[in-house]
Every structure is written in C-alpha cells, then in structure tokens.
Amino acid sequence: MSDIQFEIDGIQVTATKGRTLLEAAQEKGISIPTLCHHEKLEPFGGCRLCIVEVEVKGWTKLVVSCVYPVENNIIVRTRSEKVDRIRKTIIELLMAHAPDAPELVKLAKEYGADRNRYEKDPSFCIHCGLCVRYCNEVTKKNAIGFVDRGINKEISFIPEIAARECNECKECFPLCPTSYLQAAFVLTESLSFASYSKESK
Ligand code: SF4
Ligand code: FES
C-alpha cells in the first residue's frame, strides 16, 4: 500500500493508506484522548472525544480522528482552542452520567471541565459501546447488547447467554470506563442466572 505524508502537531508523518489519524498519531507517540476506541475493535466514532482539527488547503474542519483516514498534505492539530473547548463540553456532559469515573476525572483535570456544569443524571453507563462491541467482535459470545434508543439506551446482558459464558470470560470488564458494567453483571447474575442454571440441569 502507498504511503501518505502529512503533518501532525508540526511533526512530519508518513502513514500507510487506510490508517486513521488516531492510529498515525499513536504510532508517533502523540496522545489523543479516546473513550470508545480499542485497537481490537472496528472504529466506532461514538464518544467524539478524539476530535482534531484538520487543515486542507487553508480550510479548517473538525474531524473524528478514530474514523478519519490519513490524507496527503493535510495539517492536523490535536489541540487548539476549539478542540479543547469541545472536549471540555463532552467531558462535562459525560460527567453528568458518571461523575466519578476515573478516566473522566483525569480528563476533567486536564481540560478544566466542571463536573457539575450539567444536571446530574447518574445512569453511569456512558454508551461507549466497548463492552457490547468487544463481546460481539472479539469473544464472539454476544452476551451483551444495547436495548432501547436515544436517552433510554442502555446495555443489557442476555441472561441465557451470560449465565453460560460470562463467568469464564469477563474480558470486557476492565474495558468499561465507569463502574456500570460490573454492576449490571452482578444484577443480572443475582436476578436471573439461577433460573437459567436450573433450566439447563
Ligand atoms: S457499560 Fe461501560 S463499557 Fe459498556 S457501554 Fe456502558 S460505559 Fe461503555
Ligand atoms: S475515540 Fe473516537 S469517537 Fe470515541
């Protein structure tokens, strides 16, 4: 595959065609914050925290770096007044749902985000989809899914699969940026695993 040449934060970068800006930056040791990205998973572009500024022929736009492919001669800025302002707002919105999530607390410090800016709605899940996608794409067990849509969307273990598969696996647990996944598992386990174990005897 042909190589693409461009600039990130003043550094000249060469990357293989088809790589994303995030991957190219990471290969150069340039850090871009992410919440829904995982190197084993298909790009998702859900949290928007990884936005960066891209300049093409003098025009500037904001793009989601984990899904945006590298292009010749572009100038990428991973931090700018606009990028930082948007990241700060995203962090503040997510903190309304999961105010104590360690990753968010760390990011809030870096971007000067106010955890109390938006009215609290502590649903704890921030819909990054890491658990659902990892269970589907990597372990291929399909034991977790999203139910409902929009503001009512939430993750849910599928008890008949989870009762059989999850205790031996739990590979998704450390991926969750909040405490919600473990709590949801414990709840599902206590409410419904026993009946599925009995049924399977
Ligand atoms: S439970 Fe955790 S890993 Fe799963 S979508 Fe919600 S925040 Fe992400
Ligand atoms: S890491 Fe790119 S949108 Fe979440």
Side-chain angles (χ1 to χ4, degrees), residues 21 52-56 59-63 68 74-76:
L21 290 182
V52 294
E53 217 169 69
V54 168
E55 190 181 319
V56 190
W59 292 90
T60 302
K61 59 182 176 179
L62 292 169
V63 305
Y68 195 90
I74 55 173
I75 297 169
V76 181

Side-chain angles (χ1 to χ4, degrees), residues 13-69:
V13 177
T14 303
T16 313
K17 191 174 176 191
R19 305 290 274 167
T20 64
L21 290 182
L22 177 67
E23 287 167 335
Q26 287 176 336
E27 277 160 21
K28 273 281 171 194
I30 298 168
S31 162
I32 298 176
T34 66
L35 279 172
C36 68
H37 172 78
H38 189 285
E39 62 279 6
K40 288 188 183 167
L41 301 176
E42 286 298 314
F44 183 57
C47 72
R48 296 295 200 255
L49 199 67
C50 68
I51 53 150
V52 294
E53 217 169 69
V54 168
E55 190 181 319
V56 190
K57 294 178 185 159
W59 292 90
T60 302
K61 59 182 176 179
L62 292 169
V63 305
V64 177
S65 68
C66 67
V67 295
Y68 195 90

Side-chain angles (χ1 to χ4, degrees), residues 99-112:
D100 300 315
E103 190 61 27
L104 292 177
V105 171
K106 203 174 89 196
L107 285 164
K109 231 181 235 170
E110 187 176 348
Y111 286 89

Side-chain angles (χ1 to χ4, degrees), residues 2 15 18 40 43 51 62 80 97 113 120 123 135 170 181 185:
S2 53
K40 288 188 183 167
I51 53 150
L62 292 169
S80 70
H97 298 288
K120 291 277 172 295
S123 50
C135 191
K170 295 185 179 170
L181 183 61
F185 178 75

Side-chain angles (χ1 to χ4, degrees), residues 62-191:
L62 292 169
V63 305
V64 177
S65 68
C66 67
V67 295
Y68 195 90
V70 293
E71 281 173 5
N72 271 318
N73 305 322
I74 55 173
I75 297 169
V76 181
R77 282 180 281 272
T78 65
R79 298 286 296 255
S80 70
E81 195 260 325
K82 204 171 191 178
V83 165
D84 282 14
R85 188 160 23 90
I86 294 171
R87 284 191 191 144
K88 176 174 173 280
T89 303
I90 294 171
I91 296 160
E92 287 169 340
L93 284 165
L94 293 175
M95 284 187 118
H97 298 288
D100 300 315
E103 190 61 27
L104 292 177
V105 171
K106 203 174 89 196
L107 285 164
K109 231 181 235 170
E110 187 176 348
Y111 286 89
D114 173 4
R115 73 207 288 271
N116 297 315
R117 178 157 173 214
Y118 293 101
E119 199 183 328
K120 291 277 172 295
D121 173 18
S123 50
F124 303 106
C125 174
I126 56 168
H127 300 157
C128 70
L130 285 173
C131 57
V132 173
R133 291 182 294 133
Y134 194 91
C135 191
N136 295 352
E137 293 176 31
V138 180
T139 68
K140 306 209 183 293
K141 296 182 193 299
N142 299 308
I144 324 171
F146 276 116
V147 290
D148 240 320
R149 284 162 172 249
I151 52 163
N152 296 321
K153 184 162 117 175
E154 51 181 56
I155 61 126
S156 176
F157 283 90
I158 297 149
E160 57 270 43
I161 304 176
R164 197 175 62 229
E165 303 285 356
C166 292
N167 274 318
E168 296 296 308
C169 175
K170 295 185 179 170
E171 281 181 37
C172 63
F173 280 28
L175 306 184
C176 180
T178 76
S179 53
Y180 187 74
L181 183 61
Q182 298 222 27
F185 178 75
V186 171
L187 191 67
T188 313
E189 187 179 35
S190 60
L191 290 177

